[in-house]
Amino acid sequence: MHRRSFLATLAAAAATPRLSWADAGSPAYLAAARLPDDSYALHGLTVAGESLFGLPMPARGHAATAHPERPLAVAFARRPGTFALVIDCARGIETARLTPPEGRQFNGHGTFSADGAVLYTSEVIAEGSEGRIGLWDSDTWQRIGEMPTHGIGPHDIRRLPMSDDLLVANGGIQTDPTDRTKLNLDTMRPNLARIAPDGSLMARAELPEGLHQNSTRHLALLPDGRAACAMQWEGDAAETPPLLALWAEGALAACPVPETEALTMQNYAGSIAHSAKTGEIAITSPRGGAVQVFAADGRFKASFRRADACGIAAGPGGFIVTDGNGAVLALDAAGFRPLAKHALNWDNHLIALERA
């Protein structure tokens, strides 16, 4: 190419504005779903629960993460995952498909670095379930490295505010790589690990010995630098341990609830969210058909019943909830208020788009 042509090409590229989230119709949430024909899709939703787009997925999805500036989302397969889709939400197309290296499996979650240059993916070594964080260049989508999660069976992963440190929920469960059979429930040691960008362990927090079978699964970041963690009990089904814990300064504290309220959750918290509007934390249980709401200090406030409620995120008046029957609902102190109904089955998570 002649020098003049080359410079003209560069000038044209520089003059072409990079698309932003406004070009994608400004979706407020992302959610995976199963459609009536048993296919799968990722939807972008408004705060009113309307679908702005529905993009096909090759198999069941779990969670997704959004680029902080560009209208890109990465949607992850349900663990043990073999794909992650990079989706251009402005154009409505899949632009790349990530595959974990041989012997690795995606574990359903990921997050971007503060500048959006690197995608971090939650992964396990298939044999033994030792945790890894995959590093991917967000321009080329090439894998550029990996680092340890400092635990077994990582699940959710979040970047801490105003930092590139990561908080990882290492669920502690070793699973069979083919059928998800749990192999180490008697000896499991879940933790939350704070990890620096170079992979070094900054802090690791565990629950007391009597709660070592409470698998740390999903995370919500709080504005004061703390985090809330939703858990799933893998011990004696007759016990009703807390399913919410608060993480602060490297320590993890469980948040008890009245026994009658604990029974409704059936020892399973499927998702979690924090509302900046009310300061509250909420966890969901699709098994129990319930949503529990807590104050910012972890004090139990209320339970709300909704069959197969699982996806939850912050909303204008409190929370937005999705259920397995296609409903999108607002939740505040007065209870549920229907927003929209879709002919599909929402999956586990409703992802609020936290973007610059």
Side-chain angles (χ1 to χ4, degrees):
M1 179 182 291
H2 293 295
R3 181 175 181 272
R4 183 176 297 174
S5 299
F6 176 69
L7 292 175
T9 300
L10 286 181
T16 303
R18 181 173 258 184
L19 293 175
S20 71
W21 275 102
D23 298 297
S26 296
Y29 307 102
L30 297 174
R34 179 170 58 85
L35 307 182
D37 62 0
D38 286 332
S39 64
Y40 298 92
L42 179 74
H43 283 260
L45 301 178
T46 69
V47 292
E50 300 168 345
S51 178
L52 294 173
F53 57 80
L55 304 177
M57 298 185 71
R60 183 178 174 183
H62 186 68
T65 189
H67 192 277
E69 296 178 357
R70 289 181 278 158
L72 296 175
V74 181
F76 297 94
R78 180 175 183 256
R79 65 179 180 90
T82 58
F83 69 86
L85 305 184
V86 181
I87 296 170
D88 183 329
C89 296
R91 297 182 176 91
I93 58 173
E94 175 189 327
T95 60
R97 186 173 299 194
L98 311 184
T99 303
E102 185 72 24
R104 303 287 192 271
Q105 295 172 336
F106 289 136
N107 249 26
H109 292 265
T111 192
F112 281 95
S113 60
D115 62 5
V118 178
L119 171 70
Y120 301 105
T121 53
S122 174
E123 303 175 6
V124 293
I125 299 175
E127 294 294 338
S129 301
E130 185 177 336
R132 289 291 184 271
I133 298 169
L135 281 66
W136 307 77
D137 183 289
S138 71
D139 284 323
T140 65
W141 300 111
Q142 296 299 305
R143 190 179 181 90
I144 55 176
E146 64 176 48
M147 54 192 185
T149 68
H150 303 278
I152 298 296
H155 199 53
D156 205 354
I157 178 173
R158 297 294 183 99
R159 177 179 53 80
L160 293 170
M162 303 185 70
S163 166
D164 262 328
D165 287 357
L166 301 174
L167 188 64
V168 179
N170 287 304
I173 302 174
Q174 180 184 350
T175 57
D176 184 290
T178 59
D179 62 9
R180 305 203 331 169
T181 299
K182 299 169 185 176
L183 305 174
N184 69 330
L185 296 185
D186 290 339
T187 59
M188 58 184 285
R189 301 293 308 186
N191 70 60
L192 295 190
R194 180 172 184 165
I195 302 169
D198 64 1
S200 59
L201 180 66
M202 305 294 289
R204 180 164 48 201
E206 296 183 356
L207 289 166
E209 180 63 33
L211 294 176
H212 78 92
Q213 290 177 297
N214 224 359
S215 182
T216 48
R217 309 302 294 173
H218 296 111
L219 300 168
L221 301 180
L222 308 186
D224 58 5
R226 297 178 300 148
C229 180
M231 301 179 290
Q232 298 169 8
W233 178 244
E234 300 291 347
D236 187 342
E239 299 181 36
T240 54
L243 299 179
L244 173 70
L246 295 180
W247 175 89
E249 299 180 353
L252 195 58
C255 304
V257 301
E259 186 174 356
T260 53
E261 299 294 343
L263 289 169
T264 66
M265 299 290 280
Q266 295 189 24
N267 285 334
Y268 185 95
S271 193
I272 186 170
H274 169 263
S275 169
K277 177 76 171 181
T278 66
E280 296 170 326
I281 302 161
I283 59 175
T284 64
S285 175
R287 294 182 182 179
V291 179
Q292 289 187 336
V293 178
F294 298 78
D297 62 2
R299 289 179 295 109
F300 174 78
K301 294 186 70 173
S303 285
F304 300 92
R305 303 303 298 265
R306 179 75 186 186
D308 207 15
C310 193
I312 191 165
F319 299 97
I320 303 294
V321 177
T322 55
D323 68 26
N325 298 306
V328 183
L329 311 108
L331 175 63
D332 57 24
F336 289 106
R337 176 171 56 86
L339 295 176
K341 185 75 165 62
H342 301 266
L344 47 68
N345 305 106
W346 296 117
D347 216 296
N348 300 58
H349 297 291
L350 180 66
I351 307 299
L353 297 180
E354 300 170 343
R355 53 189 187 269

